[in-house]
Amino acid sequence: MRTLGRWYRALAGAATMALVLAAPAALAQGNKVKSVDASVVGEQTVFTVDLDAPLTQKPADFTTQNPAKIAIDFFDTGFAAGRAQYDYAGKLVKAANVMQIGDRTRVVLDLTRTASYRTETRGKQFVVLLDNVPTASKTAAPTFAATSAPAPATIGGRPAIRTVDFRRGADGAGRVVVDLSSRESGINIAQQGQNVVVDFLATTLPDNLRRRFDVSDFGTPVQGMRASDTNGNARLTIEPRGNWEYSSYQTDTQFVVEVRPIKEDPSKLISGPGYRGERLSLNFQNIDIRSLLQVFADFTNLNIITSDTVQGNLTLRLKDVPWDQALQIVMDAKGLASRRNGNVLWVAPKAELATKEKLELESQQQINDLEPIRSQVFQLNYQRAEDVRKMLLGISTGGPGAAVGGLGAVGGAGGAMASRMLSKRGSLTADARTNQLFVSDISTKLEEVQSFLMKIDIPVRQVIIEARIVEATDTFSRNLGVKLGFAGQYNNARLGNTYGSVSPVPVTTPGNPPTQPGFAPDNGTFLSLPAAAINGANPANVAVSLFNSAATKFLSLELSALEADGKGKIISSPRVVTANNIKALIEQGTELPYQAATSSGATSVQFRKANLKLEVTPQITPEGNVLLDVDVNKDSVGIQTTSGFAIDTKHVQTQVLVENGGTVVIGGIYTQTESNDVDKVPFLGDIPVLGYLFKSNAKVKNRTELLVFLTPRILNESVSLK
């Protein structure tokens, strides 16, 4: 029996072979590949390509991450067999495919994982040296390292990223192209949540590239990219959306990440974006389950071990389904489960696997109970020993079992052990004076404690937060007023309303001409609407008097006006430095006393603050941004009341995500006050033009604006507080 998928592969192979045989033989007469071989020498796998003559042109090589492959193109080189596959089944190199395509020959190495390598030319041999031991890194993601060609120019002695480019590929794929200054840069790539994170180890990122790239207009799964600097490493965070898959490869100094959309096949019985196997088709009637598992083994080149209890037949029809999904469907239908170890797959009933795993765990537990206890001392550099002791014993701060003083010891039954990392026989002592941990436990637990301490006993990154509080005021006031009066002279005779006689001496009244001797004035004010003072400044006055030819009747007009225009700006700039996830507080101001009544009826003096305060808790995200919990107060002393001074309060409290070194406005208050007050004589004040003689006008226009800016910066070796 042969699956449809295997027929498809056979037809594809035949078509490829036909194309190769049809290629003109004269295209590849310069050199020829004679044979290839792979061997393990120490901690390296040596792959050798034997040629007829020494190479005149260096081959081009590139790598892919998913699946892990290394491709080498020999130009102007042929291959006598046209196409061949060599199986090695090594720990690193699984197989090698050699094929002639036109005037060049391509050698593709199938790897079990991505590995660093370098190439050498030795006479008529081309050698690829691969490292069997994975390069130690902070994460378990694959690391790319290119050949031993001389490194190009670097920045500050370190490799650097030159450019970051984005292109739209075939079928709507998004292609991120990073140009490096050196092909020796180590690269870690991994999927974190919905994003793909690429870390360029010990690589410098120029300042002009430290930003977010919006590529949503390209119509690919990638919506954006963010380039940042993280602990001396350049990091590129790719933000795809929807259903997608990615692959990556490196060619010389170019590193390419391709994100492709996944189109669901309507013919699939069960949709599952997690299945990534090669597609196959199965159509069997009443096939033995063991024979069906053999079909999967032939298709996937996996070593499948079947338990003796796996029995029964199965009828199925699957068309164009990923092989891992098809295998899961078959096992679910027969109540089977699988466990994979490398390229070996063990298939057995679920109950049998569960029983075996239970026995293994019980056996391991018995071994742990009998294993001898060892002691080890751990020196802590950045963490407090007492805090780490509580973490290892699962004791919350201040909870039951917390040690008193700097030295505490908890045995096997002490403390709260909800998340205890030690075994029931383990014990732990913390010495605050030397900041050391003394741990006694079995070897496996000591290794777990050591791994745990390596992750948490690291220097805490620090952040400087600068706030700018800007208060701007713009005030304008204008007052216009008028006085209108009447005056008359009398010679001790009563004309109208008089106010009695006075001594006949010359009298001079402001705004009126001097009286004649023997006469006294009689003044009366018809209208008094003067301009009011502004900020303690009196208005300016202009007076005009009109009198008859005999100078016995007077009409006085007095105009007053005052205008005030003021602008001011107050800038407050508190700054504070704190560690990651540690609250910081800085304040400056005045404490105002006031009388407060006590429960006994007496009074006491208490104080209330009117100050500038910045309270912030920063959190550095994995992408290199800063998440801030901010509380900003800007209080000042206000007007004085009978109970004391009032306090003018300006307060903002929020949480905001800011780029490293970026500035964000977290709040703003804008107020505008306009008023126009008119005092006038009814009817007369409404007369056009002349009405201004019978009214006063006061106009006020005030504007105030408050803005709060925040700028966080992550401190490193090259940044200091100035």
Short mmCIF file of all heavy atoms in Angstrom, two decimals, residues 464-469 573-577 583-588 611-617 628-634 652 666 708-711:
data_model
loop_
_atom_site.label_atom_id
_atom_site.label_comp_id
_atom_site.label_asym_id
_atom_site.label_seq_id
_atom_site.Cartn_x
_atom_site.Cartn_y
_atom_site.Cartn_z
N ILE A 464 15.98 56.49 35.13
CA ILE A 464 15.86 57.88 35.55
C ILE A 464 14.59 58.44 34.93
O ILE A 464 14.36 58.30 33.72
CB ILE A 464 17.09 58.72 35.16
CG1 ILE A 464 16.86 60.19 35.52
CG2 ILE A 464 17.44 58.56 33.69
CD1 ILE A 464 18.07 61.08 35.30
N ILE A 465 13.74 59.03 35.76
CA ILE A 465 12.48 59.59 35.30
C ILE A 465 12.52 61.09 35.52
O ILE A 465 12.77 61.55 36.64
CB ILE A 465 11.27 58.97 36.03
CG1 ILE A 465 11.25 57.46 35.84
CG2 ILE A 465 9.98 59.59 35.53
CD1 ILE A 465 11.78 56.68 36.99
N GLU A 466 12.29 61.83 34.48
CA GLU A 466 12.27 63.29 34.55
C GLU A 466 10.87 63.77 34.20
O GLU A 466 10.32 63.40 33.15
CB GLU A 466 13.30 63.91 33.61
CG GLU A 466 13.30 65.43 33.63
CD GLU A 466 14.35 66.03 32.71
OE1 GLU A 466 15.08 65.24 32.07
OE2 GLU A 466 14.43 67.26 32.63
N ALA A 467 10.31 64.59 35.07
CA ALA A 467 8.99 65.18 34.83
C ALA A 467 9.14 66.68 34.64
O ALA A 467 9.94 67.33 35.33
CB ALA A 467 8.04 64.88 35.99
N ARG A 468 8.38 67.22 33.72
CA ARG A 468 8.34 68.67 33.51
C ARG A 468 6.89 69.12 33.65
O ARG A 468 6.03 68.68 32.88
CB ARG A 468 8.91 69.06 32.15
CG ARG A 468 10.41 68.87 32.03
CD ARG A 468 10.94 69.40 30.71
NE ARG A 468 12.39 69.25 30.62
CZ ARG A 468 13.26 70.17 31.01
NH1 ARG A 468 12.81 71.30 31.52
NH2 ARG A 468 14.55 69.97 30.90
N ILE A 469 6.67 69.99 34.62
CA ILE A 469 5.34 70.53 34.86
C ILE A 469 5.36 72.00 34.45
O ILE A 469 6.04 72.82 35.06
CB ILE A 469 4.94 70.38 36.34
CG1 ILE A 469 5.08 68.92 36.77
CG2 ILE A 469 3.53 70.88 36.58
CD1 ILE A 469 4.92 68.71 38.25
N SER A 573 10.74 70.87 37.31
CA SER A 573 11.36 69.70 36.68
C SER A 573 11.95 68.78 37.74
O SER A 573 13.17 68.78 37.96
CB SER A 573 12.44 70.14 35.68
OG SER A 573 13.03 69.02 35.06
N PRO A 574 11.12 67.99 38.41
CA PRO A 574 11.68 67.00 39.35
C PRO A 574 12.24 65.79 38.60
O PRO A 574 11.67 65.34 37.60
CB PRO A 574 10.47 66.61 40.20
CG PRO A 574 9.30 66.84 39.31
CD PRO A 574 9.66 67.99 38.43
N ARG A 575 13.36 65.25 39.08
CA ARG A 575 13.98 64.07 38.50
C ARG A 575 14.33 63.09 39.62
O ARG A 575 14.72 63.51 40.71
CB ARG A 575 15.25 64.42 37.72
CG ARG A 575 14.99 65.20 36.46
CD ARG A 575 16.23 65.27 35.59
NE ARG A 575 17.33 65.99 36.24
CZ ARG A 575 18.54 66.12 35.71
NH1 ARG A 575 18.81 65.56 34.54
NH2 ARG A 575 19.49 66.79 36.35
N VAL A 576 14.21 61.80 39.32
CA VAL A 576 14.50 60.79 40.32
C VAL A 576 15.01 59.55 39.62
O VAL A 576 14.61 59.24 38.49
CB VAL A 576 13.23 60.47 41.16
CG1 VAL A 576 12.15 59.85 40.29
CG2 VAL A 576 13.56 59.57 42.34
N VAL A 577 15.94 58.84 40.26
CA VAL A 577 16.50 57.59 39.75
C VAL A 577 16.07 56.47 40.68
O VAL A 577 16.17 56.59 41.91
CB VAL A 577 18.04 57.65 39.67
CG1 VAL A 577 18.61 56.32 39.17
CG2 VAL A 577 18.49 58.78 38.77
N LYS A 583 9.39 51.63 43.86
CA LYS A 583 8.74 52.93 43.91
C LYS A 583 9.73 53.99 44.37
O LYS A 583 10.51 53.78 45.31
CB LYS A 583 7.54 52.89 44.83
CG LYS A 583 6.80 54.24 44.95
CD LYS A 583 5.69 54.19 45.96
CE LYS A 583 4.58 53.24 45.51
NZ LYS A 583 3.42 53.28 46.45
N ALA A 584 9.69 55.17 43.73
CA ALA A 584 10.55 56.29 44.09
C ALA A 584 9.68 57.50 44.37
O ALA A 584 8.62 57.68 43.77
CB ALA A 584 11.55 56.60 42.97
N LEU A 585 10.14 58.35 45.30
CA LEU A 585 9.39 59.54 45.69
C LEU A 585 10.36 60.70 45.88
O LEU A 585 11.39 60.55 46.54
CB LEU A 585 8.62 59.28 47.00
CG LEU A 585 7.93 60.50 47.64
CD1 LEU A 585 6.83 61.01 46.72
CD2 LEU A 585 7.37 60.13 49.00
N ILE A 586 10.02 61.83 45.30
CA ILE A 586 10.79 63.06 45.50
C ILE A 586 9.78 64.19 45.62
O ILE A 586 8.81 64.26 44.86
CB ILE A 586 11.79 63.31 44.35
CG1 ILE A 586 12.62 64.54 44.63
CG2 ILE A 586 11.09 63.40 43.01
CD1 ILE A 586 13.76 64.76 43.63
N GLU A 587 10.00 65.08 46.63
CA GLU A 587 9.06 66.17 46.85
C GLU A 587 9.79 67.37 47.43
O GLU A 587 10.84 67.24 48.07
CB GLU A 587 7.91 65.74 47.77
CG GLU A 587 8.33 65.29 49.16
CD GLU A 587 7.14 64.88 50.00
OE1 GLU A 587 6.00 65.14 49.58
OE2 GLU A 587 7.35 64.31 51.09
N GLN A 588 9.18 68.54 47.22
CA GLN A 588 9.71 69.80 47.72
C GLN A 588 8.54 70.74 47.90
O GLN A 588 7.66 70.83 47.03
CB GLN A 588 10.73 70.39 46.75
CG GLN A 588 11.27 71.75 47.19
CD GLN A 588 12.11 72.40 46.11
OE1 GLN A 588 12.06 71.99 44.98
NE2 GLN A 588 12.86 73.42 46.48
N ASN A 611 3.17 71.12 48.29
CA ASN A 611 4.49 70.83 47.73
C ASN A 611 4.38 70.30 46.31
O ASN A 611 3.29 70.03 45.79
CB ASN A 611 5.25 69.84 48.61
CG ASN A 611 4.47 68.54 48.78
OD1 ASN A 611 3.41 68.35 48.18
ND2 ASN A 611 4.97 67.64 49.61
N LEU A 612 5.55 70.17 45.70
CA LEU A 612 5.71 69.52 44.40
C LEU A 612 6.20 68.10 44.64
O LEU A 612 7.25 67.89 45.27
CB LEU A 612 6.71 70.29 43.54
CG LEU A 612 7.19 69.61 42.25
CD1 LEU A 612 6.04 69.45 41.28
CD2 LEU A 612 8.33 70.41 41.62
N LYS A 613 5.45 67.09 44.17
CA LYS A 613 5.78 65.70 44.47
C LYS A 613 5.71 64.86 43.19
O LYS A 613 4.79 65.00 42.40
CB LYS A 613 4.82 65.13 45.50
CG LYS A 613 5.14 63.70 45.92
CD LYS A 613 4.11 63.16 46.91
CE LYS A 613 2.80 62.83 46.21
NZ LYS A 613 1.86 62.12 47.10
N LEU A 614 6.71 63.99 43.03
CA LEU A 614 6.74 63.01 41.95
C LEU A 614 6.91 61.63 42.58
O LEU A 614 7.91 61.36 43.22
CB LEU A 614 7.88 63.29 40.96
CG LEU A 614 8.14 62.21 39.90
CD1 LEU A 614 6.94 62.03 38.99
CD2 LEU A 614 9.39 62.54 39.09
N GLU A 615 5.92 60.78 42.40
CA GLU A 615 5.96 59.40 42.89
C GLU A 615 5.76 58.48 41.70
O GLU A 615 4.75 58.56 40.99
CB GLU A 615 4.87 59.18 43.93
CG GLU A 615 4.88 57.79 44.55
CD GLU A 615 3.81 57.64 45.62
OE1 GLU A 615 3.64 58.59 46.42
OE2 GLU A 615 3.16 56.58 45.66
N VAL A 616 6.73 57.60 41.45
CA VAL A 616 6.70 56.79 40.22
C VAL A 616 7.28 55.42 40.51
O VAL A 616 8.22 55.27 41.29
CB VAL A 616 7.47 57.51 39.09
CG1 VAL A 616 8.91 57.75 39.48
CG2 VAL A 616 7.40 56.73 37.79
N THR A 617 6.71 54.42 39.84
CA THR A 617 7.21 53.04 39.88
C THR A 617 7.44 52.59 38.44
O THR A 617 6.47 52.41 37.69
CB THR A 617 6.21 52.10 40.57
OG1 THR A 617 5.92 52.59 41.88
CG2 THR A 617 6.78 50.69 40.66
N LEU A 628 5.17 52.96 33.37
CA LEU A 628 5.26 53.84 34.53
C LEU A 628 3.92 53.93 35.24
O LEU A 628 2.89 54.16 34.61
CB LEU A 628 5.69 55.24 34.09
CG LEU A 628 7.06 55.38 33.42
CD1 LEU A 628 7.25 56.80 32.93
CD2 LEU A 628 8.18 54.99 34.35
N ASP A 629 3.96 53.74 36.57
CA ASP A 629 2.85 54.10 37.45
C ASP A 629 3.22 55.44 38.08
O ASP A 629 4.13 55.51 38.90
CB ASP A 629 2.64 53.04 38.53
CG ASP A 629 1.95 51.80 37.98
OD1 ASP A 629 1.12 51.95 37.07
OD2 ASP A 629 2.26 50.69 38.44
N VAL A 630 2.49 56.49 37.69
CA VAL A 630 2.90 57.86 38.01
C VAL A 630 1.85 58.53 38.88
O VAL A 630 0.64 58.36 38.68
CB VAL A 630 3.11 58.69 36.72
CG1 VAL A 630 3.71 60.04 37.06
CG2 VAL A 630 4.01 57.95 35.75
N ASP A 631 2.35 59.29 39.87
CA ASP A 631 1.50 60.14 40.70
C ASP A 631 2.22 61.47 40.87
O ASP A 631 3.26 61.53 41.54
CB ASP A 631 1.23 59.48 42.05
CG ASP A 631 0.14 60.20 42.83
OD1 ASP A 631 -0.29 61.27 42.39
OD2 ASP A 631 -0.28 59.68 43.89
N VAL A 632 1.69 62.54 40.25
CA VAL A 632 2.34 63.84 40.26
C VAL A 632 1.42 64.84 40.95
O VAL A 632 0.23 64.94 40.61
CB VAL A 632 2.68 64.32 38.83
CG1 VAL A 632 3.35 65.69 38.86
CG2 VAL A 632 3.57 63.32 38.12
N ASN A 633 1.96 65.58 41.93
CA ASN A 633 1.25 66.64 42.64
C ASN A 633 1.98 67.96 42.43
O ASN A 633 3.20 68.01 42.52
CB ASN A 633 1.17 66.35 44.14
CG ASN A 633 -0.06 65.56 44.50
OD1 ASN A 633 -0.76 65.05 43.63
ND2 ASN A 633 -0.33 65.43 45.79
N LYS A 634 1.22 69.01 42.18
CA LYS A 634 1.78 70.37 42.11
C LYS A 634 0.85 71.28 42.91
O LYS A 634 -0.13 71.81 42.40
CB LYS A 634 1.90 70.85 40.65
CG LYS A 634 2.44 72.27 40.52
CD LYS A 634 3.86 72.36 41.04
CE LYS A 634 4.47 73.72 40.76
NZ LYS A 634 3.82 74.79 41.56
N VAL A 652 -2.26 64.59 39.08
CA VAL A 652 -2.50 63.63 38.01
C VAL A 652 -1.91 62.29 38.43
O VAL A 652 -0.81 62.23 38.97
CB VAL A 652 -1.88 64.11 36.66
CG1 VAL A 652 -0.40 64.35 36.80
CG2 VAL A 652 -2.16 63.10 35.55
N ILE A 666 1.34 63.30 29.89
CA ILE A 666 0.42 62.45 30.64
C ILE A 666 -0.80 63.21 31.12
O ILE A 666 -1.74 62.60 31.64
CB ILE A 666 1.12 61.81 31.85
CG1 ILE A 666 1.55 62.87 32.86
CG2 ILE A 666 2.29 60.98 31.41
CD1 ILE A 666 2.05 62.30 34.16
N VAL A 708 1.90 68.29 31.83
CA VAL A 708 2.82 67.43 32.57
C VAL A 708 3.50 66.50 31.57
O VAL A 708 2.82 65.72 30.89
CB VAL A 708 2.10 66.63 33.66
CG1 VAL A 708 3.09 65.77 34.42
CG2 VAL A 708 1.36 67.55 34.61
N PHE A 709 4.82 66.59 31.45
CA PHE A 709 5.61 65.76 30.54
C PHE A 709 6.41 64.75 31.36
O PHE A 709 6.88 65.06 32.46
CB PHE A 709 6.57 66.61 29.71
CG PHE A 709 5.91 67.65 28.85
CD1 PHE A 709 5.59 68.90 29.37
CD2 PHE A 709 5.60 67.38 27.53
CE1 PHE A 709 4.98 69.85 28.58
CE2 PHE A 709 5.00 68.33 26.73
CZ PHE A 709 4.68 69.57 27.26
N LEU A 710 6.60 63.55 30.80
CA LEU A 710 7.41 62.52 31.44
C LEU A 710 8.42 61.97 30.43
O LEU A 710 8.04 61.68 29.28
CB LEU A 710 6.55 61.37 31.97
CG LEU A 710 5.95 61.52 33.38
CD1 LEU A 710 5.21 60.25 33.75
CD2 LEU A 710 7.02 61.81 34.40
N THR A 711 9.66 61.79 30.87
CA THR A 711 10.71 61.22 30.02
C THR A 711 11.48 60.18 30.83
O THR A 711 12.25 60.56 31.72
CB THR A 711 11.66 62.30 29.50
OG1 THR A 711 10.92 63.29 28.80
CG2 THR A 711 12.71 61.70 28.58
#
